[in-house]
């Protein structure tokens, strides 16, 4: 694929006058103008998320979380008006790459955010590095080597499983069956669990001692897999699924011959899928970096703002995307203090931000991984008034860095 080498020059810095500095304005060349605004007065943000396909429920919340931050901050980041350009990631790289290419090369965005699939992150990273623009992913991310412009406000994909594995070993008296989807995110999520589970002397119930993989995205009938699990000596099941696959998995699990086995998960009950799962989701355990009932000031504001606009509780997807906007807000303001804002100075400012006051609790970017050092929580689906909710049970671990 050919990458235009003219990106840096199109975003060449121009100095600010003292009056502009006093107004807290900074200039980003390559940004689009608006009514009554000079072209250099806007920050152009490209958001890529799954707005169609299996992970539409996830992508929709990524977009909604970022939009909520803008709506509650006068549509500004770091004092600069924002033009948000949204593109559909679909189910992964085949649609994510052309969507991102358009944002970077035609729309000339100054920063990228969003992305549901870890595979999409890897696929577009060469384009991001060529363009030299900050890339703030707001969903699970695989481990990558080139981190100069890559950050995530969510987590590394292997961390949920790593965080819950010791708890599962302690609570389950016997082998645990591991199952997940056969794509990059599934591999990372399940590897985190199985590697840590084995490290703490846990045993997998899978006959070959390895995770069972279900074809993605075509697997909609999980009953044959549940029948195979029933033939083992499994005392519990651990899995990762999201979006429509999570709905199918949870509903069928509740109707299967293994419904009596405790189900430990990452993401299976997170988001709008919980309402679709209904009573089938009762008692399912999940591990995540956020729960809507966390007791801190930032979360109380976030939940209040979210529920005023949406008929649901906020999710980790929305929260991480909301935090991506918060990171940009601080970084753009910090870059402006030096008299200029370009993608490169914003990227440098992200590196020096320190703690972020977040609905999940305070966190900061780890120096080596450019991902959050944060607390992980155990949640369980329980009645909350007349609805089911992912209720926080206890802290599990602090990971990251």
């Amino acid at each position: 694929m050919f990458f235009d080498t003219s990106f840096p020059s199109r975003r060449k810095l121009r100095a600010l006058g003292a009056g502009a500095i006093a107004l807290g304005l900074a200039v980003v060349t390559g940004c689009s103008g608006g009514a009554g605004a000079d072209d250099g007065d806007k920050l152009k943000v490209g958001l890529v998320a799954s707005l169609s396909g299996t992970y539409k429920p996830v992508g929709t919340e990524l977009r909604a979380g970022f939009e909520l931050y803008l709506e509650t901050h006068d549509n500004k980041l770091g004092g600069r008006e924002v033009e948000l350009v949204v593109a559909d990631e679909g189910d992964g790289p085949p649609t994510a790459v052309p969507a991102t290419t358009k944002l970077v090369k035609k729309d000339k965005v100054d920063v990228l955010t969003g992305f549901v699939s870890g595979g999409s992150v890897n696929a577009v990273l060469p384009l991001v590095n060529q363009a030299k623009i900050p890339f703030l992913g707001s969903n699970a991310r695989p481990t990558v080597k080139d981190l100069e412009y890559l950050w995530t406000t969510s987590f590394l994909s292997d961390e949920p499983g790593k965080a819950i594995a010791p708890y599962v070993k302690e609570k389950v008296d016997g082998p645990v069956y591991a199952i997940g989807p056969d794509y990059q995110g599934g591999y990372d999520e399940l590897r985190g669990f199985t590697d840590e589970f084995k490290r703490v002397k846990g045993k997998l119930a899978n006959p070959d001692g390895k995770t069972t993989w279900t074809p993605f995205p075509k697997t909609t009938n999980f009953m044959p897999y549940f029948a195979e699990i029933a033939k083992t000596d499994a005392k519990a099941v651990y899995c990762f699924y999201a979006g429509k696959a999570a709905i199918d998995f949870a509903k069928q699990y509740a109707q299967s011959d293994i419904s009596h086995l405790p189900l430990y998960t990452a993401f299976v009950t997170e988001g709008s899928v919980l309402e679709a799962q209904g009573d089938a989701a009762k008692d399912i355990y999940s591990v995540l970096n956020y729960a809507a009932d966390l007791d801190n000031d930032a979360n109380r504001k976030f939940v209040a703002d979210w529920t005023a606009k949406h008929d649901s509780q906020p999710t980790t997807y929305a929260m991480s995307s909301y935090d991506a906007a918060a990171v940009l807000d601080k970084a753009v303001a910090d870059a402006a203090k030096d008299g200029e804002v370009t993608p490169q100075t914003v990227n440098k400012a992200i590196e020096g931000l320190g703690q972020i006051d977040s609905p999940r609790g305070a966190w900061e970017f780890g120096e080596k991984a450019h991902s959050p050092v944060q607390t992980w929580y155990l949640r369980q689906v329980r009645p909350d008034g007349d609805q089911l909710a992912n209720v926080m049970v206890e802290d599990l671990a602090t990971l990251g860095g």
Side-chain angles (χ1 to χ4, degrees), residues 6 43 69 107 135 176 186 193 247 263 287 310 364 372 388:
S6 65
L43 182 73
Y69 190 94
D107 297 314
F135 180 5
V176 174
F193 175 80
I247 298 172
L263 179 57
V287 52
H310 302 276
E364 60 185 325
L388 291 174

Side-chain angles (χ1 to χ4, degrees), residues 127-280:
L127 175 63
V128 170
N129 288 335
Q130 181 69 29
K132 294 181 167 50
I133 59 175
F135 180 5
L136 272 170
S138 52
N139 199 37
R141 193 199 82 199
T143 301
V144 298
K145 292 182 179 179
D146 192 347
L147 291 169
E148 184 177 1
Y149 291 96
L150 179 60
W151 309 84
T152 180
T153 57
S154 52
F155 51 87
L156 299 184
S157 301
D158 63 350
E159 289 178 338
K162 187 182 297 185
I164 198 174
Y167 178 89
V168 174
K169 172 62 172 63
E170 178 185 347
K171 296 296 182 180
V172 177
D173 185 19
V176 174
Y177 197 97
I179 183 170
D182 69 342
Y183 70 100
Q184 186 62 55
Y187 303 150
D188 293 340
E189 295 280 354
L190 270 296
R191 185 189 69 250
F193 175 80
T194 57
D195 284 359
E196 183 67 9
F197 194 60
K198 291 174 182 177
R199 190 190 71 81
V200 296
K201 310 303 182 185
K203 178 185 176 184
L204 292 182
N206 305 61
D208 59 357
K210 299 178 181 178
T211 299
T212 295
W213 302 111
T214 60
F216 176 86
K218 65 182 181 180
T219 302
T220 58
N221 180 14
F222 292 94
M223 284 300 191
Y225 296 97
F226 298 152
E228 290 301 312
I229 296 174
K231 296 176 184 177
T232 72
D233 58 350
K235 301 301 181 185
V237 174
Y238 179 81
C239 74
F240 155 76
Y241 290 98
K244 184 180 180 300
I247 298 172
D248 293 335
F249 190 96
K251 282 189 169 183
Q252 293 169 32
Y253 193 93
Q255 299 170 353
S256 73
D257 292 338
I258 60 170
S259 61
H260 62 287
L261 297 181
L263 179 57
Y264 297 91
T265 75
F267 294 99
V268 167
T269 60
E270 181 68 354
S272 59
V273 298
L274 180 56
E275 183 177 356
Q277 291 161 347
D279 288 346

Side-chain angles (χ1 to χ4, degrees), residues 368-381:
K368 293 183 179 180
H370 286 193
S371 63
V373 179
Q374 63 188 331
T375 302
W376 288 86
Y377 306 101
L378 178 72
R379 308 149 357 136
Q380 188 178 34
V381 177

